[in-house]
Amino acid sequence: MTVTWTPLLMMAAGHFCLTIGILNWSQGHGYNVKWMDQLILAGLGLAGLLFLFAAWMVWNLPFPNWPVLIQAYAALCAVILVVVLPLSTFVRHVRPEAPGTLAVSSSTHDLGERFGKECLIGHSGAGRLLRLPGNDSLKLARNEWSVTLQKLPPALDGLTILHLTDLHFAHSFRQRFFEEVVNLAMEGAPEPDLVLITGDFLDHDDTVAWVEPVLGRLKARLGKIAVLGNHDYRHDFRGLRRGLRKADFRTLDGRWMTLETERGCLVLGGTSYPWGRHLDPARMPEGDVRILLSHAPDQVYRASDWSMDFMLCGHNHGGQVRIPVLGPILMPSRYGRRFDQGFYRVGPTTMFVGTGVGGKHPIRFRCQPEVTRITLRSSAEFLALQPHHRGSFAKSQVI
């Protein structure tokens, strides 16, 4: 019996890893039609039937008598389990920290404990998940970072950004939850220069009514800028854009803009590609620092080719469920678990991937939602070239 159970369990674990890998890869492409969910479920069902057939072969026949295809599939599952999974996990653990990033402060705020869960949990069936023991979805992390950019001019040293991503307005939460998230993001700190949000605002059409009253609470000296996400294009994205305008946000979809200040010119680009419009690098304006808002981190290699200085994104939610040692499993990216959360450096581009605020399925384990404040710093070499500039930024022109 031991001889039977061992290959069966190895095949099951390898089959699970392979299925999740294919699912992650498929979710990283721009297939944003609603029937795609049914197609993916059908594919998962077919994979399950394949496994059941293979398991029957393992149980009833010795290995030499298995069909060649089943032998090959069993070997593939074993390689994934014994080689690919441990190797990818090891690489994740030894990945060096992105240079120039420094954690300034981090605090966790249990909104459920502060306000009472019933004030925050919505009326949908998915809201029941928020009552599960160990679910971190109502425990908001407020993190502050200092990020040194090699090409940031000394005049722009100290530029502050408040970043939010993946709010996922849905009836699993009440509107008040998102109001308290915004309140916490703004309280006890100076008004940021920029508020940047990188997509996935909606999970229900009627929650578009929350956009203006919730996000209108956010304040920024230079401006508030957003891109949409793949979930937004499945819902009332036109109403979302109107709500964002009323909340004083500029929405960038495949467009560039400049922010002229008395201390320098910022170039900002925005894209939700591959679900929305792609940015044309040939139309990038000139400026002192280049910042890209991208819903998905998969665009980082393009950003590196364009010599972007800084990139902000979300989409992956940090995996939402992070298993000890292994880390995240579900990751809707063509690169799998490569860009799950935190800072990365690809060529000249420093990228930050936020874990998000909400989620269509509001369950988080060892992966708190977060709001993030980032202060951009010029490198020591640049600062040595001229005196450090103090004083506030002033918006003079937006194109």
Side-chain angles (χ1 to χ4, degrees), residues 383-396:
L383 287 173
L385 296 178
Q386 61 188 78
H388 184 60
H389 289 253
R390 298 292 181 184
S392 62
F393 293 96
K395 181 168 63 174
S396 59

Side-chain angles (χ1 to χ4, degrees), residues 9-202:
L9 292 175
M10 290 184 64
M11 182 182 291
H15 173 82
F16 175 78
C17 293
L18 178 61
T19 302
I20 292 299
I22 294 173
L23 178 63
N24 289 343
W25 177 84
S26 66
Q27 292 289 294
H29 291 73
Y31 310 126
N32 206 36
V33 290
K34 292 186 177 181
W35 53 260
M36 183 55 64
D37 289 341
Q38 284 70 42
L39 183 61
I40 290 173
L41 288 174
L44 292 175
L46 183 61
L49 291 175
L50 173 63
F51 170 73
L52 290 176
F53 176 68
W56 182 88
M57 298 294 298
V58 173
W59 190 267
N60 289 278
L61 295 173
F63 183 82
N65 295 340
W66 297 357
V68 174
L69 288 178
I70 298 299
Q71 288 182 348
Y73 182 72
L76 175 62
C77 289
V79 169
I80 290 172
L81 178 64
V82 177
V83 179
V84 177
L85 180 62
L87 182 60
S88 66
T89 302
F90 173 77
V91 169
R92 290 187 65 261
H93 280 289
V94 300
R95 173 176 65 87
E97 294 183 0
T101 58
L102 176 66
V104 177
S105 67
S106 179
S107 57
T108 297
H109 304 262
D110 191 334
L111 301 183
E113 184 177 282
R114 180 185 296 189
F115 302 106
K117 288 186 177 182
E118 298 311 312
C119 295
L120 307 175
I121 297 175
H123 58 74
S124 74
R128 299 189 187 98
L129 295 172
L130 295 169
R131 297 186 175 90
L132 290 176
N135 189 349
D136 291 331
S137 293
L138 299 178
K139 297 178 180 178
L140 184 71
R142 192 170 83 161
N143 300 320
E144 185 175 349
W145 292 85
S146 173
V147 177
T148 299
L149 301 180
Q150 292 298 316
K151 295 183 180 179
L152 185 74
L156 291 174
D157 182 82
L159 182 78
T160 55
I161 296 171
L162 174 62
H163 176 242
L164 295 89
T165 190
D166 296 271
L167 291 152
H168 288 276
F169 288 170
H171 293 298
S172 51
F173 297 93
R174 293 182 186 270
Q175 180 178 331
R176 183 177 176 184
F177 168 76
F178 299 102
E179 292 172 347
E180 297 300 343
V181 167
V182 168
N183 291 341
L184 185 62
M186 297 297 296
E187 74 178 24
E191 188 174 300
D193 295 307
L194 293 169
V195 171
L196 306 179
I197 303 182
T198 48
D200 274 2
F201 294 85
L202 303 180

Side-chain angles (χ1 to χ4, degrees), residues 102-309:
L102 176 66
V104 177
S105 67
S106 179
S107 57
T108 297
H109 304 262
D110 191 334
L111 301 183
E113 184 177 282
R114 180 185 296 189
F115 302 106
K117 288 186 177 182
E118 298 311 312
C119 295
L120 307 175
I121 297 175
H123 58 74
S124 74
R128 299 189 187 98
L129 295 172
L130 295 169
R131 297 186 175 90
L132 290 176
N135 189 349
D136 291 331
S137 293
L138 299 178
K139 297 178 180 178
L140 184 71
R142 192 170 83 161
N143 300 320
E144 185 175 349
W145 292 85
S146 173
V147 177
T148 299
L149 301 180
Q150 292 298 316
K151 295 183 180 179
L152 185 74
L156 291 174
D157 182 82
L159 182 78
T160 55
I161 296 171
L162 174 62
H163 176 242
L164 295 89
T165 190
D166 296 271
L167 291 152
H168 288 276
F169 288 170
H171 293 298
S172 51
F173 297 93
R174 293 182 186 270
Q175 180 178 331
R176 183 177 176 184
F177 168 76
F178 299 102
E179 292 172 347
E180 297 300 343
V181 167
V182 168
N183 291 341
L184 185 62
M186 297 297 296
E187 74 178 24
E191 188 174 300
D193 295 307
L194 293 169
V195 171
L196 306 179
I197 303 182
T198 48
D200 274 2
F201 294 85
L202 303 180
D203 265 324
H204 290 94
D205 285 342
D206 56 357
T207 58
V208 73
W210 299 359
V211 173
E212 180 186 4
V214 172
L215 301 182
R217 297 165 176 251
L218 294 166
K219 306 298 179 184
R221 286 190 286 265
L222 291 178
K224 303 188 293 186
I225 303 161
V227 295
L228 304 190
N230 56 307
H231 282 245
D232 300 321
Y233 285 109
R234 293 187 175 195
H235 298 285
D236 184 10
F237 65 90
R238 295 180 180 86
L240 171 60
R241 286 180 177 140
R242 290 193 296 269
L244 287 170
R245 282 197 298 270
K246 292 178 180 178
D248 295 324
F249 273 84
R250 292 176 61 89
T251 305
L252 296 182
D253 282 310
R255 295 188 297 121
W256 300 96
M257 65 176 289
T258 59
L259 276 174
E260 294 283 353
T261 81
E262 62 185 11
R263 293 169 59 180
C265 177
L266 309 176
V267 174
L268 297 107
T271 180
S272 53
Y273 186 83
W275 303 278
R277 293 174 57 191
H278 184 40
L279 270 171
D280 181 0
R283 303 187 65 180
M284 186 193 308
E286 293 294 326
D288 296 307
V289 64
R290 301 170 174 179
I291 299 175
L292 177 65
L293 283 71
S294 172
H295 177 57
D298 290 7
Q299 303 305 306
V300 67
Y301 294 107
R302 285 193 173 96
S304 176
D305 291 341
W306 303 342
S307 297
M308 302 302 296
D309 299 298

